[in-house]
Amino acid sequence: MKISIFGAGYVGLVTGACLADVGHKVLCVDLDVAKIDQLRGGQIPIWEPGLQAIVARNIEEARLLFSTEAADATAHGSIAFIAVGTPPGEDGSADLQYVLAVAQGIAQNMRGYQLIVNKSTVPVGTADKVRERVAQVLKARGLDLPFDVISNPEFLKEGSAVADFQKPDRIIVGTASERARALMTELYEPFNRNHQRTLFMDVRSAELTKYASNAMLASRISFMNELANMAERLGADIEEVRRGMGADPRIGYQFIYPGCGYGGSCFPKDVRALERLAHEVGYEAPLLASIEAVNQKQKQRLFDKLAAQLGGVQQLRGQTIALWGLAFKPNTDDMREAPSRILMESLWKAGARVQAFDPVAMPETAKIYGTRSDLVLASDKYAALHGAQALVICTEWQQFRAPDFDEMASRLTQRLIVDGRNLYAPDKLRAEGWTYLSIGRA
């Protein structure tokens, strides 16, 4: 099948590459000329395990093409995915200007039937707005062309997006059109060989499913962080509590790990957008507001613990603090709403200097913050420790899980670790003379 994808960012590129890899012919369109030139050369602008090889292979075999022209996309095929950004507005609502601009571009260039697939994370009712925009443009052109607008939300986890797409838990498709249903069934047939993963439903239910899923997962994280903060005051160990809870099959172990808060491009934005959506339809959703409020508070916990241990915020001036992990989670370079950013900015405000290391996110850090005298991006995890008064861990990268503690002690000026991901055994470290502060463990 011939597929066009508008937006060669995270969702669009993974979707396009994985669809091409099963044999479809895919054209990705993006207005960023530099990005398209990079992609045509087989290089990808994001860090995602396994994606580089898939992109290069399908470019070589001419199944994956790139363009900056919307007209090329509508000429390429009759199925068009919208996978552009929906950044949050000041009130938390999703900004649909890019989605609607793509819809307008499709309508201006289409010559026959088009199946328009909303892949971007969008509020309930967006398909109706896209449909209205397409109809307006076609009317202005004096044309009466058939088209369908459907919802097919993405459920990709950064760091495992390729595997998520190739072996999905479910494929959600929202449509009332039999024609669209038949096309989407054919499109995803290679991913349904073992068993049927595609769930068809109405468009609005599909749109809500995406927001509901992310809000549910975010609520589990915030709930565990609330319990962790209580556990510290009660003298309990949240890791023992977590294991006890997770053993219940009704709860399970996924997304019940306490830490320094969630970040990334999805959970924060989607929880806020869902809360805003509830407000727009006249429903107050205090639970949604609490999820985000708890998360924002939790991101400050590392700084508060560190400052208290060192004698107060004033004592941080002139200090050097080592930081392990800059990305919001392992296996990505994404720093959007990362806890590390809250920590670094708080340290700088207090007059401290940061020496940081991350396996892949340091170029992104330099892009965000530029060159500054109070930030050193170290060559490796141990180099980040040299002369620092403390180590703070923000991201649970695999290489941080079993470090050489003797080497660490020789580099730090004191044996102080503030661990936002509970990587180590408190009793063992304390027996070796470390001051070890973690989340939810007294």
Side-chain angles (χ1 to χ4, degrees):
M1 302 178 77
K2 291 185 176 181
I3 314 298
S4 298
I5 297 180
F6 289 84
Y10 189 86
V11 173
L13 186 57
V14 172
T15 299
C18 290
L19 287 175
D21 209 40
V22 297
H24 298 306
K25 295 184 178 180
V26 179
L27 174 65
C28 291
V29 176
D30 199 289
L31 298 179
D32 188 332
V33 175
K35 180 191 292 185
I36 293 299
D37 287 343
Q38 183 181 5
L39 288 166
R40 283 172 172 164
Q43 299 300 310
I44 63 174
I46 58 176
W47 199 92
E48 180 63 36
L51 183 59
Q52 174 79 55
I54 295 175
V55 169
R57 178 170 64 247
N58 284 281
I59 289 175
E60 183 178 352
E61 297 177 9
R63 289 194 300 268
L64 183 60
L65 306 171
F66 299 96
S67 175
T68 58
E69 300 297 328
D72 292 344
T74 49
H76 175 75
S78 60
I79 302 178
F81 280 78
I82 301 178
V84 295
T86 54
E90 291 184 5
D91 61 356
S93 61
D95 185 347
L96 297 178
Q97 62 172 312
Y98 304 113
V99 170
L100 295 177
V102 170
Q104 182 157 329
I106 293 171
Q108 288 171 338
N109 291 286
M110 59 189 283
R111 294 289 181 269
Y113 174 78
Q114 280 283 323
L115 173 56
I116 302 170
V117 184
N118 275 339
K119 197 70 172 173
S120 300
T121 300
V122 294
V124 177
T126 299
D128 294 337
K129 294 179 180 179
V130 170
R131 189 177 298 108
E132 291 169 6
R133 180 64 61 89
V134 173
Q136 289 171 359
V137 174
L138 290 177
K139 182 177 180 181
R141 291 177 63 197
L143 298 175
D144 183 19
L145 300 176
F147 68 94
D148 286 306
V149 179
I150 71 172
S151 174
N152 175 217
E154 54 87 13
F155 295 95
L156 306 177
K157 300 186 295 293
E158 292 190 49
S160 60
V162 170
D164 289 343
F165 197 100
Q166 293 175 334
K167 297 179 180 180
D169 299 315
R170 76 286 204 203
I171 300 169
I172 302 294
V173 178
T175 181
S177 164
E178 288 301 321
R179 184 175 186 176
R181 181 174 179 139
L183 286 169
M184 295 301 284
T185 298
E186 182 181 356
L187 176 71
Y188 283 122
E189 193 273 335
F191 304 95
N192 284 298
R193 293 275 166 82
N194 293 331
H195 64 272
Q196 183 58 247
R197 295 181 171 91
T198 304
L199 301 175
F200 288 97
M201 59 186 69
D202 66 90
V203 174
R204 286 181 170 244
S205 294
E207 290 171 332
L208 183 56
T209 298
K210 167 63 176 181
Y211 276 131
S213 297
N214 280 353
M216 171 62 81
L217 296 175
S219 72
R220 288 169 69 97
I221 296 171
S222 283
F223 179 73
M224 286 306 295
N225 284 333
E226 285 275 63
L227 285 182
N229 296 336
M230 290 177 60
E232 291 181 11
R233 291 159 175 79
L234 294 169
D237 184 336
I238 193 62
E239 293 299 329
E240 297 293 340
V241 174
R242 177 183 64 79
R243 285 189 281 272
M245 291 171 60
D248 186 332
R250 297 171 301 174
I251 298 173
Y253 291 102
Q254 293 194 36
F255 289 87
I256 61 168
Y257 289 87
C260 51
Y262 59 76
S265 63
C266 295
F267 286 6
K269 175 174 69 71
D270 292 354
V271 170
R272 292 175 200 139
L274 188 57
E275 183 190 1
R276 180 63 187 175
L277 189 61
H279 179 75
E280 289 175 356
V281 296
Y283 180 76
E284 293 303 316
L287 177 59
L288 294 175
S290 296
I291 294 168
E292 180 61 15
V294 168
N295 190 57
Q296 289 301 316
K297 184 178 178 182
Q298 196 69 14
K299 288 182 181 181
Q300 195 65 34
R301 290 282 290 160
L302 296 182
F303 177 80
D304 292 344
K305 282 175 174 283
L306 177 65
Q309 182 63 34
L310 293 178
V313 175
Q314 314 91 290
Q315 300 304 313
L316 286 167
R317 180 165 297 280
Q319 302 269 34
T320 297
I321 305 300
L323 194 159
W324 281 2
L326 294 163
F328 85 94
K329 63 181 284 189
N331 295 321
T332 181
D333 63 350
D334 194 344
M335 288 184 62
R336 284 174 287 186
E337 307 230 21
S340 65
R341 296 182 65 171
I342 300 295
L343 174 63
M344 288 192 294
E345 289 164 14
S346 297
L347 287 169
W348 292 330
K349 185 177 179 181
R353 181 172 176 268
V354 174
Q355 292 178 174
F357 173 75
D358 187 285
V360 302
M362 291 195 293
E364 183 66 15
T365 306
K367 180 179 174 183
I368 294 169
Y369 293 111
T371 301
R372 48 187 302 159
S373 60
D374 51 7
L375 173 63
V376 173
L377 298 175
S379 57
D380 61 63
K381 62 187 178 186
Y382 296 120
L385 305 179
H386 188 70
Q389 281 70 48
L391 165 64
V392 184
I393 301 173
C394 287
T395 315
E396 64 276 30
W397 283 97
Q398 199 69 21
Q399 65 172 278
F400 300 156
R401 292 182 180 274
D404 183 335
F405 288 103
D406 290 336
E407 178 68 20
M408 293 168 65
S410 72
R411 303 245 185 171
L412 291 164
T413 63
Q414 57 179 302
R415 297 188 178 208
L416 172 58
I417 299 174
V418 182
D419 183 0
R421 299 301 177 184
N422 289 0
L423 298 185
Y424 312 130
D427 292 344
K428 181 176 183 295
L429 282 185
R430 288 167 186 157
E432 295 176 0
W434 289 87
T435 299
Y436 178 62
L437 307 176
S438 54
I439 303 294
R441 299 187 287 183

